[in-house]
Amino acid sequence: MKKVTQSEFDTAQELHRKWLGREGGGTRMDFNGANLSGANLRSANLNGADLSGANLNGADLSGADLSGANLRGADLSGANLPSNHHYAQISFDGHGEQGRKLIVFKTPDSTTYSCGCFVGDEQELRNYIDRGDEQHQESRLYALTCLIGALEISERRKAI
């Protein structure tokens, strides 16, 4: 995973700004799988950016616009998120088939859960669990319950 420099990010952000404004020469920001750990992304317009699988550990995302950003599989642990965004994850041996990581990311507009190839809202996740392999239902429901509790704690702590 290549570490993205601040200069590379700034260039991509300018191209992304043009893409959002439908200006010529613009391209959607694509940092799929990139290493942005510790990066200064403060107040960045990441609307619609592809940050799936990115390492955002310790990144400063305060004031950033993450609406519509693809954060599926991104590592947001230790990231400084905008005050109205919340993140939680859980992973343990025995969760589902392979001890997968269940992640929730909540913005003012939506709450998205992701785990393996699944991405959707809470009801879609519950339906996915109900339709899935019976031997994994208990661990998946437990993971979801814990994750919802962790999200509630995150929201309460940020409200203080």
Side-chain angles (χ1 to χ4, degrees), residues 32-160:
N32 177 316
N35 183 355
L36 291 158
S37 61
N40 178 6
L41 310 179
R42 177 179 283 247
S43 300
N45 186 350
L46 303 171
N47 182 343
D50 184 0
L51 300 168
S52 58
N55 178 358
L56 293 160
N57 186 323
D60 184 0
L61 292 158
S62 58
D65 179 357
L66 294 165
S67 56
N70 180 356
L71 292 162
R72 181 176 170 199
D75 179 2
L76 290 162
S77 54
N80 184 12
L81 297 172
S83 61
N84 58 354
H85 290 60
H86 306 280
Y87 165 82
Q89 68 181 22
I90 186 169
S91 180
F92 58 91
D93 187 32
H95 170 220
E97 302 86 350
Q98 304 169 0
R100 293 186 185 269
K101 185 185 320 181
L102 177 59
I103 299 169
V104 62
F105 188 71
K106 184 174 183 178
T107 69
D109 301 324
S110 67
T111 302
T112 304
Y113 293 82
S114 64
C115 185
C117 63
F118 173 83
V119 176
D121 64 25
E122 181 182 341
Q123 189 56 55
E124 290 169 325
L125 179 55
R126 289 185 183 281
N127 293 343
Y128 175 80
I129 293 169
D130 287 344
R131 289 189 312 268
D133 192 336
E134 198 172 295
Q135 72 180 14
H136 301 303
Q137 288 178 346
E138 180 183 24
S139 67
R140 289 176 173 165
L141 286 172
Y142 179 75
L144 177 58
T145 300
C146 290
L147 195 65
I148 290 169
L151 184 64
E152 289 170 357
I153 290 170
S154 171
E155 291 176 305
R156 283 196 307 269
R157 288 189 67 192
K158 279 193 171 182
I160 295 174

